[in-house]
Amino acid sequence: MKRVLVVDDNESNLYLLRQVLQSSGYEVDEARHGLEALAHAQKSQPALLITDLLMPEMDGYTLLRQWKTDPSLKHIPSIVYTATYTDSDDQRLALQLGADAFIVKPMEADAFVAVVSQVIEKARSGSLPASAPGNEPLEETQVAYNATLVRKLEKRSLEMRTLTRNLHASKARFKALAENSMDMILEADPILHRILWVNRAACEGFGLSLEAFVNSDSKRFYDQSDPRLAALIAERDATGQTRGEVTAIRANGEHFPVEISSVVYSTPEHQQIANVTLRDLSAQKQTQATLLQSQSNAATLQAAMDAHALLSMTDADGVITYVNDGLCATSGYQREELIGKTHLVLRSDHHDAAEYRALWRTVRASQMWKGEWCNRTKEGNLFWVETTVVPFASTQGQPDKYVTIQTDITVRKLAERQREELEAQLRETQKLQAVGTLASGIAHDFNNIVAAILGFSTLMQEEIAPGSPTAEYLGQIQKAGRRAREVVQRIVSFSRPQSTALTDVAIQDAVHETLAIAQATLPTTIAFKTHLPIQPVLVRGDNTQLQQVLLNIYTNAWHAAPAKSAHIDTRLEVCTFESTDPAKPPQLSPGAFAHLWISDNGCGMSEEVRQRIFDPFFTTKPVGQGTGLGLSAVRSIVVAHHGAVTVESQPDVGTTFHLYFPLVAPSDIQQPLAQKPEAAPPLIGSPHVLLVDDDLPITVLLEAILTRAGFRVTPFTDPALALVAVQKRPMGFDLLLTDFNMPGMSGLELARQVQSIRAELPIAIVSGHIGADLIQQAHALRIDTLLHKERVTEDLVLRLSKLLQPSET
């Protein structure tokens, strides 16, 4: 281990450098000046010297010169580390005297250690520049050294002059502050009891001039019979300071109460001075006496208040000495059960210790406390009160009893809580509506992209030979596009609720598809394990909603997972319940069920939380991190599938969700019907289509599909220009094909205006989402041909060909 010799007369600097170097693997030797460093190095040579410049006995410059002229030390590299000599001339002189590096304090520890390592490594490899202070003329080095010392002395002299000016200014400010203080300030000799100086307020308060005060006996200004005086003087003699109340005497003999603060300090000449600050309490004491009298006179009002409030009285220690009938009736305690106890008997744990301390701190300072407080009845029920605590002072000035006046506000607090919960639910609902609106907008734009991908890839596939690598690539593109189309439909389903389409779903497939999403989105530290039967377990349900159930449970398990060794297990079995089976959830009918259960090793939950986890908007997460709707949605979906969900949980062990879904009987399994693709009827001539879509790639795609099928197409991306074209040539088009969602003018509005020009023109509308509202509005305009944008490649030609067929009636 490399040894470093650190030279600095400042103990803090030595400690800091020692910690930095030792934490980096270096041994550290220390010296307080140059002579000590040379002696130490002769006994045990270090690998590196780190030295300050400004030091007693021998400074850093002299140490560097002797170090480099000593045959046994000159090969050892050195670093200057200084906060005083920081000029470029200082650095130049240090390097001339043999320093290998010059560092100005402070420097980050990592950077400092890097310089140390670099210098040692260069010295080991012999790559340090040769330093030979003897090569420079002695006179030049001495002149530079002297110039540096003179410059530092001049700087130090300037600093001292500035310090002296600041000191004089500070003393002047202090004198003005003391002289103009509203408190009476005296300075006295604590041993001889002689007044040395007083301020103007002291002269006015005691009725004496400054001349009469100075050198007078300080004891004459205090009532020596006051027992508090001796205790305060003893405290000051023992600790050097004291604070309290005593009785002072004016020059005319009048006694008056004062608050005294006294501190003893030593002057530079070692003279003991007692600084005494006095504050006249006459007005305050008079106010307290008046208040005490008023409180005594108001005692008769207590009986009247008993009839309208919850009243109690305690002594100075908070022990209850009186309670009225109202407090007994509300709290459920008998009077004898409360007398002699403190109010902690009503404590609800709704308030922490800091709130109790703040209350007591206020009333013990003779100040009234007001606020709302939550108490607990004898039966354990909570009740809220609006509380006023009034302290009553004794003749000595300190509160010796407290009266608490309370009004029961439980009904109001419950109403406020209910209103806050409703407002929170409204906010969460509005957030979900906003998310739905955003998702709908994203789905609309993405629908156009997916339709373009599927359409153009289909057109390209028709242009190349089957079986070629390019055809395979295009097939993969179409496969990915169809998956994207399904994703868009799920987004649309979320943002615009639709009726649930129930099909036969294999639970294993729903689990695998959900796990693929969960493993891609949840942390990789979570281990997912599955135990699923090979034979498909079929239930009648909506695959998307089943996946939502599983994903919500997986997400909850992740939130509860430990930081390390987290795992989530998914198991599936088929079970049969009889009507008397004790394991059957009460909401299930007898029969065969798919039993899916998901277990985690997370933090678990208490029984109180477990009872509420399916309540809407209930969440244990911090504000802003949960909606409280995830598990509520789980229960709603499971119940809609005629199933049941139960939960087992134990704190610090984990949680298991049990899901039950009715099995599909073999005779009820729905077999998909084989259908032949429907051929488009032949076109009559070459129908002219007016195509309107604000998305250019979609416009190009639709034009290409229609042109290949034998249609003539006039495309527009602006519905206003398309309307102008109809106005100019009302009979020039055989069909209007328009997008629904376009800026400036919707497809329905365009259709309405076109019908006002040519009522019999066939019209078809393309949309990324065909909901009940669109169907209703289109039907009102006698438009029955509505096409899903994401399926235009498959359906467009067929639907338009049918639309142009002559009516049979």
Side-chain angles (χ1 to χ4, degrees):
M1 185 179 293
K2 296 182 177 63
R3 180 182 292 107
V4 178
L5 175 58
V6 179
V7 190
D8 199 311
D9 62 325
N10 187 296
E11 293 295 334
S12 297
N13 292 341
L14 284 174
Y15 173 79
L16 177 61
L17 292 179
R18 181 170 66 253
Q19 295 299 318
V20 170
L21 292 170
Q22 286 180 346
S23 65
S24 299
Y26 295 96
E27 291 184 3
V28 179
D29 294 333
E30 299 175 352
R32 273 67 181 173
H33 51 77
L35 289 177
E36 185 179 346
L38 289 172
H40 202 298
Q42 293 294 343
K43 294 179 182 179
S44 177
Q45 289 192 355
L48 175 67
L49 168 68
I50 300 176
T51 179
D52 193 12
L53 291 178
L54 185 61
M55 297 180 294
E57 302 294 334
M58 178 185 289
D59 65 4
Y61 286 125
T62 305
L63 172 61
L64 285 173
R65 186 167 187 86
Q66 294 198 18
W67 188 276
K68 289 302 181 180
T69 56
D70 189 320
S72 63
L73 302 177
K74 65 181 181 179
H75 67 283
I76 300 174
S78 58
I79 296 175
V80 170
Y81 189 52
T82 179
T84 305
Y85 293 83
T86 58
D87 297 340
S88 57
D89 292 338
D90 302 332
Q91 180 177 359
R92 187 179 304 109
L93 178 59
L95 296 176
Q96 287 177 356
L97 291 173
D100 297 293
F102 189 92
I103 302 175
V104 176
K105 301 175 185 176
M107 174 180 279
E108 294 292 337
D110 291 343
F112 178 80
V113 172
V115 174
V116 169
S117 300
Q118 184 180 22
V119 170
I120 292 177
E121 179 59 27
K122 287 185 176 180
R124 187 191 63 79
S125 62
S127 59
L128 283 175
S131 56
N135 294 339
E136 292 82 13
L138 179 61
E139 294 78 4
E140 292 183 8
T141 304
Q142 190 63 38
V143 168
Y145 176 59
N146 292 338
T148 299
L149 291 180
V150 169
R151 186 169 61 255
K152 296 306 174 185
L153 288 174
E154 289 176 347
K155 181 177 180 181
R156 181 60 59 87
S157 177
L158 178 60
E159 292 173 350
M160 292 300 296
R161 289 197 298 271
T162 302
L163 183 61
T164 301
R165 285 197 303 270
N166 293 340
L167 179 60
H168 287 309
S170 177
K171 291 177 66 176
R173 286 194 300 271
F174 174 78
K175 183 176 181 181
L177 179 64
E179 184 63 36
N180 293 284
S181 173
M182 296 180 67
D183 290 333
M184 297 173 280
I185 301 177
L186 303 83
E187 287 192 343
D189 187 324
I191 299 175
L192 301 177
H193 306 290
R194 293 293 176 184
I195 300 294
L196 303 177
W197 174 85
V198 297
N199 70 346
R200 185 184 303 116
C203 293
E204 295 173 353
F206 283 90
L208 286 176
S209 65
L210 178 62
E211 293 75 14
F213 252 121
V214 174
N215 288 324
S216 63
D217 187 349
S218 61
K219 292 187 291 184
R220 60 172 284 201
F221 300 105
Y222 305 100
D223 183 356
Q224 300 299 312
S225 65
D226 189 336
R228 298 172 294 178
L229 181 63
L232 292 173
I233 292 176
E235 181 182 20
R236 190 184 68 181
D237 292 342
T239 65
Q241 59 184 6
T242 190
R243 179 188 292 273
E245 292 185 14
V246 295
T247 303
I249 306 174
R250 304 188 200 276
N252 61 6
E254 177 188 355
H255 287 57
F256 65 103
V258 294
E259 181 183 52
I260 181 172
S261 298
S262 181
V263 177
V264 176
Y265 68 92
S266 297
T267 67
E269 296 78 20
H270 305 290
Q271 179 185 4
Q272 294 289 306
I273 301 294
N275 180 276
V276 182
T277 301
L278 303 174
R279 178 169 294 176
D280 191 340
L281 298 179
S282 301
Q284 179 180 336
K285 294 296 183 180
Q286 181 60 41
T287 301
Q288 290 178 349
T290 302
L291 178 61
L292 182 62
Q293 184 62 40
S294 299
Q295 292 171 342
S296 177
N297 295 337
T300 55
L301 297 176
Q302 180 175 341
M305 295 182 63
D306 283 349
H308 302 285
L310 315 181
L311 297 178
S312 63
M313 183 183 297
T314 68
D315 61 16
D317 297 322
V319 177
I320 298 174
T321 58
Y322 168 82
V323 294
N324 73 341
D325 294 340
L327 181 57
C328 292
T330 301
S331 67
Y333 287 96
Q334 298 296 320
R335 182 172 280 103
E336 55 271 17
E337 293 179 297
L338 295 175
I339 301 297
K341 307 288 181 60
T342 70
H343 277 90
L344 292 179
V345 71
L346 302 174
R347 185 170 185 170
S348 66
D349 294 330
H350 191 85
H351 309 279
D352 59 23
E355 292 180 87
Y356 281 92
R357 288 196 298 269
L359 187 155
W360 275 108
R361 189 164 52 248
T362 300
V363 297
R364 281 175 174 161
S366 299
Q367 298 177 5
M368 184 169 60
W369 184 91
K370 289 186 176 182
E372 295 180 354
W373 208 261
C374 183
N375 290 327
R376 189 181 298 276
T377 68
K378 184 178 180 179
E379 294 75 21
N381 300 319
L382 298 180
F383 68 99
W384 279 89
V385 289
E386 196 168 63
T387 303
T388 301
V389 182
V390 182
F392 288 85
S394 67
T395 55
Q396 287 75 30
Q398 294 298 320
D400 64 348
K401 59 179 174 291
Y402 304 96
V403 174
T404 301
I405 307 167
Q406 298 177 324
T407 303
D408 192 337
I409 58 171
T410 304
V411 174
R412 190 190 80 193
K413 295 294 289 187
L414 290 176
E416 291 175 354
R417 179 179 177 182
Q418 184 178 17
R419 185 181 68 251
E420 291 171 356
E421 290 178 350
L422 290 174
E423 290 174 350
Q425 293 176 13
L426 177 60
R427 287 193 296 270
E428 293 299 334
T429 301
Q430 290 172 338
K431 284 194 289 186
L432 290 176
Q433 290 175 346
V435 171
T437 302
L438 176 62
S440 177
I442 294 173
H444 172 265
D445 292 339
F446 202 59
N447 252 330
N448 290 344
I449 298 172
V450 171
I453 292 173
L454 289 173
F456 285 119
S457 61
T458 300
L459 296 179
M460 291 177 63
Q461 204 167 33
E462 295 175 1
E463 299 290 339
I464 60 177
S468 65
T470 305
E472 173 65 22
Y473 301 153
L474 288 173
Q476 293 298 323
I477 292 175
Q478 290 182 321
K479 182 178 179 181
R482 285 189 291 272
R483 289 176 59 192
R485 183 167 65 188
E486 294 174 1
V487 171
V488 173
Q489 288 306 305
R490 291 181 184 177
I491 294 176
V492 172
S493 298
F494 170 79
S495 60
R496 297 169 177 167
Q498 305 176 33
S499 59
T500 302
L502 301 182
T503 60
D504 293 342
V505 179
I507 292 290
Q508 294 96 322
D509 293 341
V511 170
H512 290 311
E513 292 175 8
T514 308
L515 280 177
I517 298 173
Q519 291 173 326
T521 55
L522 299 184
T524 56
T525 54
I526 298 178
F528 289 91
K529 300 178 181 179
T530 57
H531 303 272
L532 308 176
I534 299 177
Q535 187 69 24
V537 178
L538 297 179
V539 299
R540 183 69 50 79
D542 180 272
N543 189 52
T544 300
Q545 291 190 358
L546 293 178
Q547 291 184 33
Q548 181 182 348
V549 167
L550 295 174
L551 191 58
N552 286 357
I553 295 177
Y554 287 146
T555 302
N556 266 48
W558 162 53
H559 287 151
K564 296 181 179 180
S565 302
H567 62 79
I568 301 174
D569 296 343
T570 305
R571 297 174 180 265
L572 175 65
E573 67 177 6
V574 173
C575 62
T576 302
F577 291 128
E578 302 295 337
S579 58
T580 58
D581 195 334
K584 180 181 74 67
Q587 59 268 47
L588 295 182
S589 302
F593 292 87
H595 176 205
L596 179 68
W597 68 99
I598 302 169
S599 303
D600 65 65
N601 63 335
C603 61
M605 66 187 84
S606 66
E607 179 61 21
E608 181 181 3
V609 172
R610 191 190 70 81
Q611 293 287 347
R612 297 192 59 193
I613 58 171
F614 294 116
D615 293 350
F617 300 102
F618 175 76
T619 178
T620 58
K621 299 183 180 67
V623 176
Q625 296 186 19
T627 64
L629 295 174
L631 293 179
S632 175
V634 166
R635 183 174 63 178
S636 297
I637 293 173
V638 172
V639 171
H641 284 70
H642 307 290
V645 54
T646 62
V647 182
E648 297 175 349
S649 186
Q650 188 174 347
D652 302 323
V653 175
T655 300
T656 300
F657 283 84
H658 295 272
L659 305 172
Y660 299 92
F661 298 98
L663 281 180
V664 176
S667 59
D668 295 335
I669 296 178
Q670 298 176 349
Q671 299 293 339
L673 298 177
Q675 295 182 350
K676 295 182 179 180
E678 185 178 358
L683 295 179
I684 301 174
S686 182
H688 191 185
V689 177
L690 176 61
L691 172 62
V692 187
D693 195 306
D694 62 304
D695 191 285
L696 182 58
I698 295 297
T699 304
V700 174
L701 171 64
L702 298 180
E703 181 181 7
I705 294 174
L706 293 174
T707 301
R708 283 169 173 251
F711 292 88
R712 290 182 296 121
V713 181
T714 298
F716 287 95
T717 58
D718 186 341
L721 296 179
L723 182 61
V724 171
V726 174
Q727 291 170 343
K728 290 181 178 180
R729 299 174 56 201
M731 305 304 295
F733 303 99
D734 300 304
L735 185 146
L736 169 62
L737 175 63
T738 177
D739 186 21
F740 168 65
N741 193 357
M742 296 183 293
M745 183 185 301
S746 71
L748 284 174
E749 179 60 27
L750 176 60
R752 186 179 294 109
Q753 296 202 32
V754 168
Q755 285 180 341
S756 68
I757 300 172
R758 183 180 167 190
E760 76 281 3
L761 181 68
I763 299 175
I765 294 179
V766 181
S767 176
H769 173 74
I770 300 176
D773 289 344
L774 176 56
I775 295 174
Q776 183 178 359
Q777 295 179 59
H779 183 70
L781 296 175
R782 303 184 306 279
I783 300 173
D784 297 322
T785 303
L786 302 176
L787 294 93
H788 290 276
K789 180 170 289 188
E790 67 274 11
R791 291 191 55 84
V792 291
T793 305
E794 297 93 332
D795 300 341
L796 180 62
V797 174
L798 173 63
R799 299 291 300 280
L800 294 191
S801 298
K802 284 185 174 183
L803 181 61
L804 290 173
Q805 291 299 305
S807 175
E808 296 180 359
T809 58

